[in-house]
Amino acid sequence: MIDNHILAPVFIHLFSAILQLVAWRKTVTQRFISVGGSFLGLMLAIRLFTKVYNNGILTMNAANWEAPFGIVFVADLLSVTLVLLTSIAGFAVSIFSSTGLNRQRMLYGYFPIFHFLLMGLNGAFLTGDIFNLYVWFEVIIISSFVLMTLGGRKAQLEGAVKYMAMNILASTFFLTGIGILYGITGTLNMADLSIKITQVQNQYLVGITACFFLIGFGIKSAVFPLYYWLPSSYHTPPSAVAATFGGLLTKVGIYAIIRVFSLIFVLDTFTQNLLMGMAIFTIITGALGALIKTNIRRLFSYLIVCHIGFMIGGIAMFTKIALMGTILYLIHDIVVKTNMFLIAGVIRQLRGSMDMNKLGGIYKEYPKISLLIALVLFSLVGIPPLSGFWPKIYLFQEAFTQQQYVFVAALIIGSFVTMYVIAKMWSEVFWKDVPKDVEVENKFEPLPLIRKILLILPVGILAIVTLYIGLNAETIVQLVDKISDQLINTQPYVEAVLGKQN
């Protein structure tokens, strides 16, 4: 079904960015435009999600060029779910940014670049053209690089160089894979590729091409052994920027792996074993890295790596149950990881530091804020019946069914390490008293009430979403069930783009 409203979530952020560029020196105006644009983007994402959920897959041919000759945009359930989650996270971060960033960074162009990033994310989720996906990836990389370097501190620049170097390498592999794919099939439309890739006689070349995509997307997803750039860079930018990165950027890589290896390439035994090995090592190395970190944001960065392994393992098994676990964890992870980095920003406001050795006493002074944060931490750990609990049931179930006992062990290790480091963080940051030799720099208390609300409100919004996912798991599982059906049976996707084939 053709619908021109598919690109509304993309255009709203484009127009918001343009308006903010016009109001370059007027930071108050930019804040209102950002929050208003993000809210409208959220409303449009809800509308698009509802239409796809009720009416099926929607498509739009750019400039009325019929597929597969023109660029096509496709909104299936996986795409619109991720657009909706991006809009929720973007709305929360825009509220936090309005008071959590200093004016100097706003004058460097934070808000327009932030909306260009959200535009790139939504475009990547909605495109049905493999080269167009590369273009949106480049929009994301350029925007994120600018956001990472805002302020120009030495640590930021060091992190940004590592981030950019690895992402350029990933883009090189991605573009090389696209070139080979076009050479052997003569098309870039993903639905058309799913048909023509099976007609290629040299399937060894197809396998090599798949490896190019796997390496490119693996770097972007931060899987073992390509993950080291993430913990080296995500702790350097402001918390609002880190929240967007931690919640969304690596998930684009996961989305791309799911889309390409469900629609275009067939996961053979070698690729499945390779993905499973990467998943296991990603979980273990991420968990070990988190164990030794005392900086809160570095700890969260390693937990991102660890939990990426959970999703890669689900993709490796590639059955309906495994995909349900992967998508459910993806939904949970976007919301929770975004919130965790916002919480890190709140802690910095409360104590002026993110070093756990210099923190303490927050629960005694701010019990209500602490309990709100505890809810998010419980969700991250996977305490039943919160959102982090349900995906693991499906992953464990399918891992036992396929006798993937090493992956089961990795899941257990990753889960226990997460619980240990979060319990340690809670004890150090909230329970214990502030060390006597540490001078507390409380930037939160002197703030006006409205600014305090704007700092805590985004955490509360995302906590409510997390709570909804966990306590309303039956509804979310029904959604995930439909998404996994579409990923396993791609015929409806192909027919929606190309029409019924004779």
Side-chain angles (χ1 to χ4, degrees):
M1 179 177 173
I2 296 175
D3 192 311
N4 291 330
H5 293 96
I6 288 176
L7 285 182
V10 176
F11 281 126
I12 188 63
H13 292 293
L14 174 62
F15 294 146
S16 296
I18 292 171
L19 287 173
Q20 288 164 336
L21 288 172
V22 172
W24 182 262
R25 304 293 298 179
K26 300 175 182 178
T27 57
V28 175
T29 304
Q30 288 189 32
R31 296 177 210 183
F32 279 109
I33 294 172
S34 179
V35 175
S38 297
F39 180 75
L40 284 175
L42 175 57
M43 294 299 103
L44 290 169
I46 291 172
R47 179 174 179 269
L48 182 61
F49 175 86
T50 305
K51 290 182 76 170
V52 172
Y53 192 86
N54 293 330
N55 302 324
I57 299 171
L58 304 178
T59 63
M60 193 210 79
N61 297 318
N64 280 332
W65 282 84
E66 292 295 324
F69 304 108
I71 295 172
V72 65
F73 292 90
V74 187
D76 66 347
L77 271 178
L78 176 60
S79 296
V80 294
T81 299
L82 291 174
V83 167
L84 178 57
L85 291 168
T86 300
S87 301
I88 293 170
F91 178 56
V93 172
S94 68
I95 296 173
F96 186 91
S97 302
S98 65
T99 193
L101 281 177
N102 60 47
R103 187 172 184 271
Q104 196 61 40
R105 281 198 168 95
M106 295 179 189
L107 289 172
Y108 288 144
Y110 167 79
F111 283 113
I113 298 300
F114 171 68
H115 283 275
F116 279 129
L117 177 60
L118 293 180
M119 179 190 75
L121 289 165
N122 287 337
F125 293 138
L126 291 170
T127 186
D129 181 279
I130 194 71
F131 184 76
N132 204 230
L133 178 63
Y134 168 79
V135 172
W136 288 118
F137 267 47
E138 294 308 296
V139 173
I140 293 168
I141 290 170
I142 293 168
S143 302
S144 56
F145 179 74
V146 175
L147 289 175
M148 188 172 285
T149 54
L150 278 182
R153 292 185 297 110
K154 182 181 177 182
Q156 284 181 264
L157 296 175
E158 287 179 356
V161 168
K162 296 172 186 176
Y163 172 82
M164 199 64 184
M166 292 303 293
N167 274 278
I168 289 173
L169 181 62
S171 295
T172 302
F173 277 104
F174 186 12
L175 191 58
T176 304
I178 291 172
I180 299 172
L181 203 57
Y182 184 69
I184 61 178
T185 62
T187 185
L188 294 171
N189 182 286
M190 287 195 274
D192 199 33
L193 279 167
S194 70
I195 297 172
K196 292 186 176 176
I197 200 75
T198 58
Q199 300 169 0
V200 176
Q201 292 185 349
N202 189 347
Q203 287 298 309
Y204 290 106
L205 184 57
V206 172
I208 293 170
T209 309
C211 288
F212 276 99
F213 283 94
L214 185 58
I215 295 170
F217 296 149
I219 294 172
K220 293 180 185 293
S221 304
V223 300
F224 179 89
L226 310 167
Y227 71 88
Y228 78 89
W229 60 267
L230 190 152
S232 300
S233 56
Y234 275 24
H235 72 286
T236 59
S239 295
V241 176
T244 310
F245 288 7
L248 296 170
L249 289 196
T250 50
K251 311 312 180 296
V252 183
I254 295 293
Y255 164 78
I257 292 174
I258 294 171
R259 178 65 74 200
V260 167
F261 283 93
S262 64
L263 192 60
I264 301 174
F265 300 109
V266 177
L267 276 176
D268 56 19
T269 303
F270 170 78
T271 310
Q272 285 183 297
N273 290 336
L274 178 62
L275 279 171
M276 184 56 73
M278 292 165 67
I280 292 167
F281 282 108
T282 301
I283 294 171
I284 299 300
T285 52
L288 293 176
L291 274 174
I292 60 173
K293 296 302 173 187
T294 58
N295 181 285
I296 292 173
R297 284 209 293 185
R298 280 183 177 271
L299 187 154
F300 291 163
S301 296
Y302 274 100
L303 287 182
I304 290 174
V305 174
C306 177
H307 299 156
I308 287 292
F310 289 15
M311 292 176 268
I312 295 294
I315 297 170
M317 292 184 286
F318 209 83
T319 62
K320 180 174 180 177
I321 297 297
L323 287 174
M324 286 179 69
T326 298
I327 303 301
L328 197 52
Y329 205 94
L330 183 61
I331 293 170
H332 148 80
D333 205 58
I334 288 174
V335 178
V336 169
K337 290 300 193 309
T338 303
N339 211 359
M340 294 306 296
F341 282 92
L342 293 183
I343 287 169
V346 171
I347 292 172
R348 179 184 280 277
Q349 290 287 333
L350 294 172
R351 288 293 181 266
S353 175
M354 291 193 197
D355 186 347
M356 288 191 287
N357 296 324
K358 299 178 181 179
L359 297 171
I362 294 180
Y363 181 81
K364 186 183 295 183
E365 290 186 42
Y366 302 97
K368 292 179 182 178
I369 294 176
S370 299
L371 290 174
L372 175 64
I373 293 172
L375 173 64
V376 182
L377 296 177
F378 286 155
S379 298
L380 177 66
V381 171
I383 303 297
L386 298 175
S387 61
F389 171 72
W390 305 108
K392 294 177 186 176
I393 292 177
Y394 293 100
L395 293 174
F396 274 115
Q397 178 183 339
E398 191 57 32
F400 276 113
T401 301
Q402 295 193 18
Q403 298 181 347
Q404 296 283 357
Y405 299 124
V406 180
F407 181 58
V408 170
L411 282 174
I412 293 171
I413 292 169
S415 299
F416 273 104
V417 169
T418 302
M419 182 171 64
Y420 170 77
V421 297
I422 293 301
K424 179 184 175 183
M425 174 195 154
W426 177 263
S427 174
E428 292 287 319
V429 177
F430 294 89
W431 275 133
K432 76 175 178 63
D433 293 329
V434 181
K436 293 180 179 179
D437 59 336
V438 174
E439 185 176 342
V440 173
E441 184 186 1
N442 192 332
K443 300 177 183 178
F444 183 79
E445 199 58 40
L447 294 175
L449 179 61
I450 184 64
R451 293 193 64 185
K452 291 180 180 179
I453 292 172
L454 290 174
L455 280 173
I456 303 302
L457 180 61
V459 177
I461 291 171
L462 293 179
I464 290 170
V465 174
T466 302
L467 201 59
Y468 176 83
I469 294 170
L471 299 183
N472 200 35
E474 185 177 357
T475 302
I476 306 300
V477 166
Q478 288 174 359
L479 168 65
V480 169
D481 182 72
K482 290 184 177 182
I483 293 173
S484 60
D485 280 338
Q486 289 185 356
L487 291 173
I488 290 174
N489 177 22
T490 58
Q491 192 61 31
Y493 183 102
V494 174
E495 290 182 355
V497 176
L498 302 176
K500 291 191 177 181
Q501 305 292 304
N502 294 326

